[in-house]
């Protein structure tokens, strides 16, 4: 393999978002608000699903796992981004960079798998309602979730360890706001063709195949919906999966734009903006989309608020 004639480096300097100094603190506080709103929204969903008996169903169980994945993702990305906004970028050791990439890859892989499982859950509930309670019981749900987490942690561990064996050289400057795969590989002293091939294969397994399964599931769901005679029945059934379909469109749409469309000649600012969608935007939007468009979650929130108000009134 060809070796670049450059000195070895041990640190990475993430440039982050280059912006005028007079708006730096404004953007910082905007991202800080986004971070806390994301944490509160996803923690609210986890709490509601855990304590509200009306939400003890496979659909909401998978949703709570998706919220955990979102919290992992945004907590992995934004703290270092905050540091870079207040200073002139972020300086990380390669071990810290690999750790950030590892948890980023785990959460993205888990999100793909969970969104796929959720689409299959909706397929069973709508197209196979008589077999749903037997097929998707809580024992099966736990096995599916544990498998998803195990696959994410194990496979991405192998992937990250292979990248960590590379030697890196050059300036160590990366024009990005987190340690994504392509910026890391561009610093390698050696040819990374084999690793990029492995990444392509993993992408096919954890992005393309899940996306194909989701598409097929929704084709069957749409056919079933159109066979429902009443308009009210169609609307009611479609409302149970419209939130999930919206999240899938946002998440997979941005992933495809960043990792599958040709990046040659594409501005790094555009890449950063698209990366924001699936690293920051998706964890923020997921609880909003599910909460605003889901009657069960709204009713659970109302019950908790009424219970709290009743408790306060009786105490006073």
């Amino acid at each position: 393999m060809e070796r670049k004639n450059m000195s070895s480096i041990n640190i990475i300097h993430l440039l982050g978002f280059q912006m005028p100094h007079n708006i730096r603190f404004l953007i910082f506080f905007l991202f800080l608000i986004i971070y806390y709103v994301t944490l509160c929204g996803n923690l609210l969903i986890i709490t509601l699903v855990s304590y509200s008996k009306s939400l003890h169903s496979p659909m909401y169980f998978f949703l709570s796992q998706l919220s955990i994945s979102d919290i992992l993702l945004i907590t992995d990305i934004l703290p270092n981004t905050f540091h870079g906004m207040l200073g002139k970028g972020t300086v990380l050791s390669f071990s810290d960079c690999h750790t950030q990439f590892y948890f980023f890859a785990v959460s993205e892989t888990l999100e793909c798998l969970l969104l796929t499982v959720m689409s299959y859950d909706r397929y069973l509930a709508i197209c196979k309602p008589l077999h749903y309670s037997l097929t998707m019981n809580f024992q099966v749900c736990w096995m599916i979730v544990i498998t998803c987490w195990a696959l994410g942690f194990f496979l991405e561990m192998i992937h990250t360890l292979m990248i960590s064996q590379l030697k890196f050289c050059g300036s160590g400057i990366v024009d990005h706001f987190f340690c994504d795969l392509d910026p890391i590989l561009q610093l390698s002293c050696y040819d990374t063709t084999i690793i990029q091939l492995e990444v392509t294969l993993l992408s096919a397994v954890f992005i393309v195949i899940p996306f194909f399964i989701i598409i097929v599931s929704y084709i069957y769901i749409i056919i079933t919906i159109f066979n429902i005679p009443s308009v009210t029945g169609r609307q009611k059934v479609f409302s149970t999966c419209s939130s999930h379909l919206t999240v899938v469109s946002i998440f997979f749409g941005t992933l495809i734009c960043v990792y599958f469309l040709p990046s040659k000649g594409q501005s790094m600012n555009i890449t950063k903006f698209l990366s924001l969608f699936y690293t920051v935007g998706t964890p923020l939007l997921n609880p909003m989309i599910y909460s605003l468009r889901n009657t069960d979650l709204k009713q659970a929130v109302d019950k908790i608020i009424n219970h709290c108000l009743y408790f306060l009134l009786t105490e006073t």
Side-chain angles (χ1 to χ4, degrees), residues 2 5 42 66 76 132 232:
E2 183 181 355
N5 187 23
N42 284 289
L66 188 67
D76 180 54
Y132 179 72
T232 305

Side-chain angles (χ1 to χ4, degrees), residues 98 160-168 190:
H98 290 147
T160 306
L161 286 175
M162 293 190 66
I163 296 173
S164 67
Q165 300 304 310
L166 295 171
K167 297 293 183 180
F168 298 93
Y190 299 103

Side-chain angles (χ1 to χ4, degrees), residues 19-44:
M19 64 190 75
H21 189 269
N22 56 348
I23 66 168
R24 188 182 298 268
F25 285 100
L26 177 63
I27 300 299
F28 168 78
F29 283 113
L30 175 62
F31 273 77
L32 187 63
I33 292 171
I34 289 173
Y35 180 57
Y36 282 114
V37 170
T38 302
L39 287 181
C40 292
N42 284 289
L43 286 173
L44 176 62

Side-chain angles (χ1 to χ4, degrees), residues 276-291:
L276 274 177
F277 267 98
Y278 63 84
T279 56
V280 178
T282 303
L284 172 67
L285 292 174
N286 281 357
M288 292 184 178
I289 292 172
Y290 280 104
S291 299

Side-chain angles (χ1 to χ4, degrees), residues 62 65-70 72 103-118 144-153 156 206 251:
F62 294 133
Q65 296 298 312
L66 188 67
S67 292
I68 295 173
S69 174
D70 286 337
L72 174 66
F103 285 105
F104 158 74
V106 167
S107 57
E108 292 297 299
T109 301
L110 184 61
E111 189 119 356
C112 289
L113 294 175
L114 286 174
L115 288 174
T116 306
V117 171
M118 291 170 75
I144 290 173
V145 165
I146 291 171
T147 301
C148 289
W149 280 96
L151 281 174
F153 278 108
E156 295 303 336
F206 291 110
F251 180 74

Side-chain angles (χ1 to χ4, degrees), residues 99-280:
T99 301
Q100 185 185 52
F101 172 74
Y102 172 68
F103 285 105
F104 158 74
V106 167
S107 57
E108 292 297 299
T109 301
L110 184 61
E111 189 119 356
C112 289
L113 294 175
L114 286 174
L115 288 174
T116 306
V117 171
M118 291 170 75
S119 69
Y120 180 68
D121 173 74
R122 290 299 83 205
Y123 160 76
L124 289 177
I126 295 172
C127 302
K128 309 283 185 181
L130 297 179
H131 303 282
Y132 179 72
S133 59
L134 295 175
T135 306
M136 199 62 75
N137 56 60
F138 272 100
Q139 184 178 1
V140 173
C141 291
W142 271 110
M143 290 177 61
I144 290 173
V145 165
I146 291 171
T147 301
C148 289
W149 280 96
L151 281 174
F153 278 108
F154 178 72
L155 293 177
E156 295 303 336
M157 176 65 75
I158 296 175
H159 191 191
T160 306
L161 286 175
M162 293 190 66
I163 296 173
S164 67
Q165 300 304 310
L166 295 171
K167 297 293 183 180
F168 298 93
C169 50
S171 64
I173 297 176
V174 174
D175 189 10
H176 215 316
F177 64 95
F178 74 100
C179 292
D180 203 355
L181 180 65
D182 285 341
I184 297 175
L185 293 183
Q186 287 174 10
L187 296 177
S188 173
C189 304
Y190 299 103
D191 182 22
T192 59
T193 303
I194 294 177
I195 291 181
Q196 288 175 336
L197 179 60
E198 291 172 352
V199 170
T200 302
L201 292 175
L202 280 176
S203 299
V205 172
F206 291 110
I207 297 178
V208 177
I209 294 178
F211 186 66
F212 177 75
I213 293 173
I214 291 171
I215 292 298
V216 172
S217 297
Y218 272 101
I219 288 174
Y220 280 103
I221 288 171
I222 291 171
I223 292 173
T224 303
I225 290 174
F226 276 113
N227 287 331
I228 297 174
S230 67
V231 176
T232 305
R234 292 177 190 173
Q235 292 175 345
K236 184 177 180 180
V237 172
F238 184 75
S239 66
T240 64
C241 55
S242 59
S243 299
H244 176 259
L245 189 57
T246 303
V247 171
V248 165
S249 301
I250 296 172
F251 180 74
F252 281 96
T254 51
L255 279 184
I256 290 171
C257 288
V258 172
Y259 292 107
F260 288 92
L261 295 182
S263 59
K264 188 175 181 180
Q266 181 174 284
S267 170
M268 180 53 68
N269 289 328
I270 295 176
T271 301
K272 291 180 188 178
F273 180 74
L274 290 173
S275 299
L276 274 177
F277 267 98
Y278 63 84
T279 56
V280 178

